[in-house]
Amino acid sequence: LAKTTQPISMDSYEGQEVNITCSHNNIATNDYITWYQQFPSQGPRFIIQGYKTKVTNEVASLFIPADRKSSTLSLPRVSLSDTAVYYCLVGDIGGFKTIFGAGTRLFVKA
Amino acid sequence: GAGVSQSPRYKVAKRGQDVALRCDPISGHVSLFWYQQALGQGPEFLTYFQNEAQLDKSGLPSDRFFAERPEGSVSTLKIQRTQQEDSAVYLCASSARDRGIVGNGYTFGSGTRLTVV
């Protein structure tokens, strides 16, 4: 399973766009990129998944360059409730395991 | 229920005590995973069930850890002779899919916080 590297923490203000970049230099051909969100005292929650180019849903966008060695989660107009830990995961969706890194702690300030 | 339910939410155990943590997955879900999350760290894979079959237990840290899912629904994670290093949040996740947690369709419970004193 490919290892991922992401910033330990980030600060932002309400209403700003937040971009969290994850590096995954050893990503394999069959690997997908998935982002999860975790609030204190809760389990992780799926945000978005992609293989290449750009994916957008109602909560976020995921940008993946052509070489797929990195990806960027974009959260538009964050609010205080977006304060959480964000995990970038890379792996084959046909596999069994999911490897979480330490994640990025996002603090949104008023 | 609508989500994955874990009980108890909090458990304090004396060192050396045995504990049992319960996971009630979403009804009908085929796959069930257990993860261990230490304070300030990401979740770490422990084991995976497909129905009642334990297909992967490579993440269990020692033979003191044992998981079962005898009827393919409720699962129990048992830790024998607990040690202080076992203190963590234990998360359960389930899915209607028969493989692959890297994706949508997986629901995590809120976890059981185990503190060994």
Side-chain angles (χ1 to χ4, degrees):
Chain A
L1 295 170
K3 181 181 176 180
T4 60
T5 303
Q6 12 174 168
I8 295 174
S9 65
M10 296 180 67
D11 289 348
S12 182
Y13 288 92
E14 283 190 293
Q16 289 188 333
E17 178 184 75
V18 171
N19 296 309
I20 306 174
T21 297
C22 178
S23 297
H24 27 80
N25 292 319
N26 296 321
I27 190 169
T29 301
N30 292 335
D31 286 345
Y32 280 67
I33 300 156
T34 309
W35 286 80
Y36 276 84
Q37 175 191 55
Q38 186 176 28
F39 298 112
S41 300
Q42 294 186 26
R45 183 177 69 120
F46 172 87
I47 301 176
I48 197 166
Q49 181 183 62
Y51 183 80
K52 61 180 179 180
T53 62
K54 176 183 175 183
V55 180
T56 298
N57 62 21
E58 63 276 8
V59 297
S61 294
L62 178 60
F63 299 92
I64 306 169
D67 66 4
R68 303 200 327 122
K69 294 184 182 299
S70 67
S71 59
T72 299
L73 174 71
S74 181
L75 304 173
R77 298 179 300 281
V78 294
S79 64
L80 295 176
S81 62
D82 292 317
T83 294
V85 179
Y86 292 83
Y87 295 98
C88 165
L89 296 83
V90 172
D92 186 342
I93 60 174
F96 292 143
K97 293 183 183 179
T98 294
I99 305 297
F100 289 81
T104 297
R105 282 159 177 75
L106 172 65
F107 298 96
V108 180
K109 306 173 186 177
Chain B
V4 176
S5 178
Q6 293 188 246
S7 60
R9 285 285 279 126
Y10 302 93
K11 176 68 178 179
V12 179
K14 292 183 178 181
R15 190 171 55 183
Q17 185 180 358
D18 296 350
V19 298
L21 312 179
R22 177 186 171 103
C23 173
D24 283 85
I26 293 173
S27 179
H29 274 194
V30 171
S31 293
L32 186 146
F33 294 78
W34 282 98
Y35 279 79
Q36 179 190 58
Q37 186 170 25
L39 187 63
Q41 302 298 315
E44 292 194 7
F45 171 85
L46 293 178
T47 187
Y48 166 71
F49 288 88
Q50 187 180 102
N51 296 308
E52 69 278 5
Q54 189 175 21
L55 299 187
D56 190 332
K57 56 181 181 180
S58 62
L60 297 176
S62 76
D63 58 8
R64 297 185 296 104
F65 286 72
F66 172 77
E68 61 182 4
R69 194 186 184 198
E71 298 179 355
S73 55
V74 172
S75 178
T76 303
L77 177 66
K78 298 179 180 178
I79 308 173
Q80 297 177 325
R81 305 180 302 281
T82 53
Q83 304 294 318
Q84 283 189 319
E85 60 263 28
D86 299 334
S87 295
V89 174
Y90 291 85
L91 295 163
C92 176
S94 74
S95 172
R97 299 180 181 176
D98 63 358
R99 62 183 58 243
I101 197 170
V102 186
N104 202 354
Y106 283 81
T107 303
F108 279 83
S110 295
T112 294
R113 181 177 297 277
L114 173 65
T115 303
V116 181
V117 297

